[in-house]
Amino acid sequence: MPDTYTNKLLVIDLSRKSFETIPVSDLFKTDFIGGKGFGAKLLSDMVPPGTDPLGKDNPLMFMTGPLTGTMAPAMRGCVVTKSPLTGIFLDSYFGGSFSPEIKYAGFDGIIIKGQAKNPVYIWINDDHVEIRDARHLWGTDILESNRLIKNELRDETIKIAGIGQAGENQVLFALIGCEYNRQAGRGGAGAVMGSKNLKAIAIKGSKPVAVHDPKRFQAACAKAFKELEESPDVEAFRVAGTAASVDYANETGLLPHKNYQSGTFSKASQLSDIGQSRHIWLGSSACMGCPIRCSKIGAVRTGKYKGIVTDIVEYESDKIYWLPADSDPLEIEKIRLKNKPILDFIKLMNKRNLDYSFVFHATDENREFIINKIKNTNLVNIDVVSEENIKDQVLSNSIFAVSKSGTISLQISSANIPSIIIYKLSFINFIIFKLLVNVKFANIINIINNKEIIPELLQKECNAKEIYKTVTYFLKNPELIEKQL
């Protein structure tokens, strides 16, 4: 693998309007490999304690990995800097085609130092490096500045990373848009770029990336692609993209709806893969060399913005920007599926003539459906309450709770009521969210304690028999309830 490195880093000083290349030693490659490793070591060496993240002494680095630019499925790049949002280390990753172009220009990474007096953009064409005036670009958004720079340089094949108005104004969570529709988000790397008066970096390379043993490398890549193609995890991303995680997050109360005031949103599915595929998606697309093709391309088909071509609304965007939508038959079916395990459990308890009464908490959107379902299935000893009545009518008089919402489970725990949590999603949604959110547990209490205090019945275990078995076991063994509390 050593042959895949270019063995040099490009260092650009905006204050001095100069640039230089520095060598990458074999020891440095062995110890830190590339990407995040290179960036972390360099940031530690270059940034003394107390450095202002938005000051000229905070470097902004774009780093590649040893496989970047090869035929391996490894096109992603890494932005490393000191975060203005957190004040600590920031590594932010992006796909697309900008990172391979850094390699093709002959560099393992780019380090930006200093601060320009006026807005500028950097133009890199292999070994040619130029700092150009960008005052005419300041105030434009990322897509518009991308178009203008390509027109100015008369080359549509150039790859560009840039900022919009948020980065220019040093908004602490501003991102960097990387060619063409991929972002280095979180932590405010865009604000750091804006603080340097750096509007964009445009790059074009023509140098091939060498490998030590091309024949064996091709065989290894073929094997990797085959494994990815056959992976159910990859298939889940390919079919539904990251937007499929919305339903899972909504089920488990992890959506930051209203800044986590609720954790759920009754119409979340309108912006999940289900809603988007019905109204926007036309086909799939991929980052350079990536076999997953998780991105979906579509067009707005009605309304004011009809005809605009757009990329998928990713999970990260979905969970922040909620749009209103009306219920439809699909929503009703989702409500039925979500509540079926609990309703079937109550039916089983009724059938066994166990002397318990039940209170079913339902949102305003679900309430009418649940009431009608109870009537149609002849369930007894059950009442349905709304959000405002849950504390008064439910928590104050309950001896046990079955929860399918992360938010309600917190209220249950705060009221010192023993409980279990359940959820069941489609296989695709479950796999995608497990990949995006790598946690052992679904319940926030278990996550905080890093052990299962509240039993979790997930996926196949989320059925009436398992719920009945678990609840009755607890009720027959008071010492287990005491231990949980």
Side-chain angles (χ1 to χ4, degrees):
M1 194 183 293
D3 289 345
T4 63
Y5 293 95
T6 68
N7 297 314
K8 59 183 178 180
L9 300 171
L10 175 63
V11 183
I12 301 172
D13 192 324
L14 295 177
S15 297
R16 297 181 178 182
K17 299 180 181 179
S18 64
F19 70 93
E20 64 176 331
T21 59
I22 58 176
V24 178
S25 69
D26 290 340
L27 181 61
F28 190 72
K29 290 183 289 188
T30 300
D31 287 346
F32 300 103
I33 303 175
K36 176 180 180 177
F38 278 11
K41 173 57 176 172
L42 290 166
L43 195 73
S44 176
D45 291 345
M46 297 173 67
V47 179
T51 297
D52 180 3
L54 297 176
K56 65 178 182 179
D57 294 327
N58 184 27
L60 178 69
M61 296 178 269
F62 292 79
M63 292 291 159
T64 70
L67 292 176
T68 305
T70 69
M71 67 181 295
M75 79 306 299
R76 297 181 69 80
C78 178
V79 174
V80 176
T81 188
K82 182 177 181 180
S83 168
L85 186 64
T86 65
I88 56 176
F89 174 77
L90 168 64
D91 57 324
S92 183
Y93 301 88
F94 58 92
S97 55
F98 184 78
S99 184
E101 206 71 20
I102 296 174
K103 267 290 189 62
Y104 300 149
F107 307 106
D108 289 319
I110 301 171
I111 303 171
I112 312 296
K113 298 166 53 177
Q115 187 178 63
K117 289 183 179 180
N118 297 304
V120 298
Y121 75 89
I122 295 169
W123 166 224
I124 303 168
N125 188 2
D126 285 335
D127 297 325
H128 174 81
V129 180
E130 188 179 345
I131 300 173
R132 301 176 65 119
D133 182 45
R135 280 175 288 189
H136 62 298
L137 301 172
W138 209 252
T140 61
D141 62 37
I142 292 173
L143 298 181
E144 178 65 8
S145 61
N146 183 297
R147 183 185 69 82
L148 291 171
I149 290 171
K150 288 177 178 178
N151 285 347
E152 187 172 305
L153 297 173
R154 299 180 180 180
D155 192 339
E156 288 292 321
T157 66
I158 291 166
K159 310 306 179 187
I160 298 173
I163 57 172
Q165 296 93 328
E168 293 173 359
N169 290 287
Q170 299 173 38
V171 175
L172 297 183
F173 50 86
L175 52 74
I176 298 174
C178 302
E179 187 74 29
Y180 180 72
N181 51 359
R182 292 293 172 260
Q183 290 74 38
R186 305 192 188 213
V192 176
M193 198 163 170
S195 74
K196 296 183 177 300
N197 277 322
L198 178 60
K199 180 64 176 177
I201 302 170
I203 187 166
K204 183 171 183 177
S206 61
K207 302 173 183 178
V209 178
V211 295
H212 177 68
D213 188 333
K215 198 169 185 178
R216 291 178 63 191
F217 185 75
Q218 288 178 16
C221 288
K223 181 181 178 183
F225 276 104
K226 186 175 185 295
E227 290 178 357
L228 289 169
E229 191 69 28
E230 295 173 350
S231 166
D233 299 349
V234 169
E235 178 65 13
F237 271 114
R238 184 180 297 122
V239 169
T242 62
S245 302
V246 171
D247 286 331
Y248 185 103
N250 196 47
E251 277 285 325
T252 54
L254 294 174
L255 283 177
H257 183 222
K258 295 183 178 179
N259 203 23
Y260 279 111
Q261 289 183 55
S262 65
T264 60
F265 182 59
S266 61
K267 299 173 183 176
S269 66
Q270 296 295 331
L271 280 179
S272 72
D273 60 304
I274 296 172
Q276 289 193 55
S277 64
R278 292 173 63 203
H279 299 293
I280 298 177
W281 295 356
L282 296 174
S284 299
S285 67
C287 293
M288 180 178 174
C290 180
I292 298 176
R293 305 187 296 281
C294 69
S295 184
K296 309 298 174 185
I297 300 297
V300 180
R301 301 170 191 173
T302 59
K304 180 180 177 180
Y305 299 101
K306 181 179 179 180
I308 290 179
V309 176
T310 178
D311 192 5
I312 182 179
V313 182
E314 300 276 1
Y315 167 72
E316 294 291 343
S317 304
D318 250 351
K319 72 177 188 177
I320 296 173
Y321 302 109
W322 295 112
L323 302 178
D326 294 324
S327 294
D328 58 20
L330 178 62
E331 281 292 310
I332 299 299
E333 177 62 10
K334 288 175 69 65
I335 293 171
R336 185 189 73 79
L337 292 174
K338 288 178 182 178
N339 293 288
K340 187 177 187 299
I342 292 181
L343 292 173
D344 287 349
F345 157 69
I346 295 173
K347 185 177 181 180
L348 190 57
M349 293 285 276
N350 286 166
K351 187 176 181 181
R352 301 291 170 88
N353 294 318
L354 296 177
D355 189 21
Y356 294 107
S357 59
F358 306 91
V359 179
F360 196 106
H361 164 254
T363 63
D364 292 338
E365 292 83 357
N366 296 356
R367 182 178 172 80
E368 184 178 351
F369 172 85
I370 296 299
I371 291 174
N372 290 334
K373 186 69 176 176
I374 290 171
K375 289 179 180 178
N376 292 336
T377 52
N378 298 316
L379 295 178
V380 297
N381 298 331
I382 182 170
D383 190 18
V384 180
V385 300
S386 57
E387 186 74 39
E388 61 269 20
N389 294 325
I390 185 170
K391 287 188 177 180
D392 295 334
Q393 294 186 19
V394 180
L395 300 183
S396 58
N397 297 307
S398 296
I399 62 171
F400 202 89
V402 178
S403 170
K404 59 184 182 64
S405 163
T407 307
I408 298 300
S409 68
L410 283 175
Q411 295 184 42
I412 292 168
S413 297
S414 298
N416 213 31
I417 297 170
S419 66
I420 63 172
I421 188 166
I422 66 170
Y423 65 76
K424 181 179 182 180
L425 295 176
S426 72
F427 174 76
I428 288 177
N429 290 351
F430 182 76
I431 288 294
I432 289 177
F433 202 80
K434 285 287 285 183
L435 290 172
L436 289 177
V437 183
N438 186 23
V439 294
K440 296 179 183 177
F441 305 106
N443 184 273
I444 188 65
I445 303 299
N446 295 340
I447 293 172
I448 292 171
N449 290 278
N450 197 31
K451 62 180 179 179
E452 189 176 78
I453 295 174
I454 299 174
E456 299 181 355
L457 301 182
L458 316 180
Q459 296 302 92
K460 292 182 179 180
E461 294 179 337
C462 180
N463 60 69
K465 289 184 178 180
E466 286 297 325
I467 297 171
Y468 173 83
K469 177 181 175 181
T470 306
V471 171
T472 54
Y473 184 71
F474 265 82
L475 294 176
K476 292 176 182 178
N477 295 275
E479 69 277 7
L480 295 178
I481 293 177
E482 186 64 29
K483 185 177 179 180
Q484 186 185 110
L485 298 179

